[in-house]
Amino acid sequence: MISSSPLNKKQVLHIRVMLIVFMLTGMCLSTLRTNAQQTTGSSGLLNIPVGDIYPDKTMSIGTNYLPEGQAGERFNYNTANYFFNLSFLPFIEATYRLTLLKVVRNNKRVTNQDRAFGVKWRLWKEKRILPSIVAGMDDIYTSSGSGNQYFASSYVVSGKTINLHEHLIRFTAGYGFNPRDRNRLKGWFGGIDYSPRNLRSVSLMAEYDSWRINMATSVLLWKHLSVYAGCYGFDQPAAGISYRFVL
């Protein structure tokens, strides 16, 4: 008889993440292609921006689960954020995000919120041959000094979509400038997402965020509800949900 050892916590976590991914794929009922939801609340893959923005007058409201370290070295605990995103003009996308923050006051640990504002400008729209070009900044302002700009970064990113027999493959490549030396978009980053034929609401994503490799599956349900699940660096769970609508 072959004896089997019990699964450790990391193995159980991996199994749960994969089950969620398969469940989301099976739940997909819509036939519209979805743009994935970045953990900062703006249009992107999992942890990197893409070279595009949401359609004009699109409003998105959502939340993300952030495991320890995912939100940067300051967040040495599991946390979450929630955000409001709006595209307008129609070449600008703005995001207002709040991340739950634990601080110590009077020898007691209390929960506060880190507020951050980000913006993306579409400089060039994708053409038949030429890729799109987008510039962006995140956590661009602070009223209490530079020490609390935990998500500060600026970047230039490009994207190109290839249609192979109605299978959509989108390539993303960019470069991040990190003035505060944060654990965010520093140097080259890139990714790829794939939407199968007749199942455009599903997006399979893989990326390198200038620090590690992440993977996830994103699904758009009923044309408005975006859900994703996956993993950061193969060992931490990723999950988020948002509701998207046109004003």
Side-chain angles (χ1 to χ4, degrees):
M1 179 180 294
I2 300 176
S3 59
S4 59
S5 58
L7 297 175
N8 57 42
K9 293 183 178 180
K10 183 177 292 186
Q11 291 173 322
V12 172
L13 182 60
H14 287 171
I15 292 174
R16 289 178 177 176
V17 169
M18 292 307 299
L19 287 175
I20 292 174
V21 170
F22 288 129
M23 288 172 62
L24 291 176
T25 304
M27 288 171 60
C28 178
L29 299 176
S30 173
T31 58
L32 297 178
R33 184 174 186 268
T34 176
N35 290 317
Q37 170 188 322
Q38 193 186 5
T39 53
T40 59
S42 63
S43 54
L45 296 184
L46 185 60
N47 212 27
I48 68 172
V50 293
D52 202 356
I53 63 174
Y54 289 127
D56 188 24
K57 300 179 182 178
T58 298
M59 181 77 179
S60 181
I61 303 172
T63 182
N64 297 287
Y65 167 71
L66 304 174
E68 180 180 348
Q70 165 55 25
E73 60 275 7
R74 168 64 177 80
F75 297 83
N76 57 353
Y77 44 82
N78 299 331
T79 186
N81 65 21
Y82 58 101
F83 62 85
F84 307 88
N85 178 281
L86 176 65
S87 296
F88 56 97
L89 287 186
F91 52 88
I92 294 180
E93 179 182 303
T95 306
Y96 181 65
R97 181 182 65 257
L98 298 98
T99 304
L100 301 182
L101 180 68
K102 295 180 181 179
V103 296
V104 177
R105 291 178 179 173
N106 300 324
N107 295 323
K108 293 183 180 180
R109 175 170 286 189
V110 297
T111 300
N112 201 349
Q113 296 182 111
D114 175 74
R115 298 166 178 83
F117 176 76
V119 63
K120 294 177 69 176
W121 295 272
R122 184 171 59 197
L123 305 178
W124 179 267
K125 192 173 183 179
E126 181 179 354
K127 304 297 183 181
R128 184 172 178 269
I129 297 178
L130 298 176
S132 61
I133 300 177
V134 168
M137 300 178 67
D138 193 23
D139 208 351
I140 60 180
Y141 173 77
T142 177
S143 60
S144 57
S146 61
N148 64 343
Q149 286 181 285
Y150 305 118
F151 305 95
S153 65
S154 57
Y155 55 85
V156 176
V157 61
S158 180
K160 188 73 180 84
T161 302
I162 298 178
N163 189 328
L164 295 177
H165 304 289
E166 299 185 10
H167 294 268
L168 297 184
I169 304 174
R170 181 178 182 85
F171 297 92
T172 297
Y175 191 88
F177 307 88
N178 200 318
R180 305 297 181 190
D181 198 28
R182 303 300 191 189
N183 190 18
R184 313 290 300 177
L185 297 181
K186 187 176 183 180
W188 293 102
F189 61 87
I192 183 173
D193 66 283
Y194 164 69
S195 293
R197 181 177 58 186
N198 301 326
L199 205 58
R200 298 291 173 81
S201 58
V202 173
S203 181
L204 307 177
M205 304 175 289
E207 66 175 25
Y208 171 68
D209 64 4
S210 76
W211 297 93
R212 57 186 174 182
I213 296 175
N214 313 309
M215 296 185 296
T217 295
S218 177
V219 179
L220 184 65
L221 303 172
W222 308 294
K223 301 182 181 181
H224 296 287
L225 186 65
S226 177
V227 187
Y228 76 88
C231 58
Y232 300 110
F234 303 105
D235 60 353
Q236 290 183 305
I241 185 171
S242 67
Y243 187 79
R244 194 182 312 161
F245 57 93
V246 178
L247 298 176

